[in-house]
Amino acid sequence: QQQVKQSPQSLIVQKGGISIINCAYENTAFDYFPWYQQFPGKGPALLIAIRPDVSEKKEGRFTISFNKSAKQFSLHIMDSQPGDSATYFCAASRGHKLIFGAGTRLAVHP
Amino acid sequence: GAGVSQTPSNKVTEKGKYVELRCDPISGHTALYWYRQSLGQGPEFLIYFQGTGAADDSGLPNDRFFAVRPEGSVSTLKIQRTERGDSAVYLCASSLVGGQDTQYFGPGTRLTVL
């Protein structure tokens, strides 16, 4: 059973554009929603995270929007740069066990 | 400071063989996790250690998989009688105190079972 569904699978954005990745979850007990960034040959690295008591969190060019009633959350990357080209994973947890989405491969073209 | 390190970076083995994968967590981190990442998928939880004990091993797929952390630092993931379906990247992560504390991932060990 896929508990966290992520879309799109791949995304191409022009430099300076906005990248948007969406995730939906099923388990209403989840209370922590991180986004991880992974470069080829590296492990995932935490980018930004949110808890369900807020609807939005912004850190620099990265923003998470959270819709508790719809059980959806999304990552927005403003002013996307070629260096942002990577695979992005959303995740959800209650406690220690992270449940990851399948990932979105982002390519930012110059 | 040093991050999570994993050895070997690549491991090729034959079906039926035994393999050991090693993880060195960030110094002082009490919690350690193993995940498995298949091609084109997100990491899948295997096991969580708090100190020396396995606090949650619910993600281990079957009894061919076993992990230890005897001194509360380095951990070894052991796979017996490997199968081609075990081929994946095995990721290790550590966190300072566990729970929902930030998990820091290592680069992974790419296991290929021929």
Side-chain angles (χ1 to χ4, degrees):
Chain A
Q1 181 184 10
Q2 187 179 4
Q3 296 191 55
V4 179
K5 295 183 180 180
Q6 184 171 347
S7 63
Q9 278 189 316
S10 62
L11 181 61
I12 299 174
V13 173
Q14 293 298 313
K15 179 182 175 182
I18 303 173
S19 304
I20 302 174
I21 304 171
N22 301 298
C23 281
Y25 62 98
E26 298 170 3
N27 188 344
T28 55
F30 289 146
D31 61 357
Y32 176 65
F33 302 88
W35 285 88
Y36 278 79
Q37 179 188 55
Q38 186 175 30
F39 293 102
K42 305 290 186 182
L46 179 66
L47 194 60
I48 186 172
I50 198 168
R51 297 190 184 276
D53 53 341
V54 297
S55 60
E56 185 174 282
K57 182 174 181 180
K58 183 176 180 179
E59 290 184 0
R61 296 185 294 110
F62 301 93
T63 300
I64 300 178
S65 296
F66 187 84
N67 186 329
K68 187 174 181 178
S69 61
K71 294 188 286 185
Q72 295 176 347
F73 57 111
S74 60
L75 176 69
H76 291 61
I77 306 174
M78 311 300 289
D79 186 28
S80 299
Q81 299 297 312
D84 296 331
S85 298
T87 300
Y88 292 80
F89 294 96
C90 62
S93 79
R94 179 170 179 85
H96 58 272
K97 184 190 299 186
L98 290 173
I99 308 298
F100 285 86
T104 296
R105 181 171 291 186
L106 171 66
V108 181
H109 290 179
Chain B
V4 177
S5 62
Q6 293 185 245
T7 54
S9 56
N10 282 282
K11 176 70 177 178
V12 180
T13 191
E14 294 180 343
K15 179 176 179 294
K17 298 290 189 182
Y18 167 83
V19 297
E20 290 189 351
L21 311 180
R22 177 187 167 108
C23 171
D24 282 83
I26 294 172
S27 178
H29 280 196
T30 64
L32 185 144
Y33 315 76
W34 284 98
Y35 290 81
R36 178 168 68 176
Q37 186 173 22
S38 299
L39 191 63
Q41 297 298 315
E44 179 184 9
F45 171 83
L46 295 177
I47 187 169
Y48 160 58
F49 286 90
Q50 184 56 257
T52 61
D56 181 359
D57 65 358
S58 62
L60 295 177
N62 51 59
D63 61 6
R64 295 188 298 105
F65 288 75
F66 189 71
V68 295
R69 195 186 185 200
E71 297 179 356
S73 178
V74 170
S75 176
T76 304
L77 178 66
K78 309 181 180 192
I79 310 174
Q80 298 178 325
R81 304 183 304 280
T82 52
E83 300 178 357
R84 293 193 178 87
D86 298 335
S87 296
V89 175
Y90 288 82
L91 294 165
C92 176
S94 70
S95 69
L96 187 60
V97 295
Q100 289 177 342
D101 195 23
T102 299
Q103 295 182 27
Y104 297 88
F105 284 81
T109 293
R110 181 176 298 277
L111 175 66
T112 303
V113 182
L114 301 177

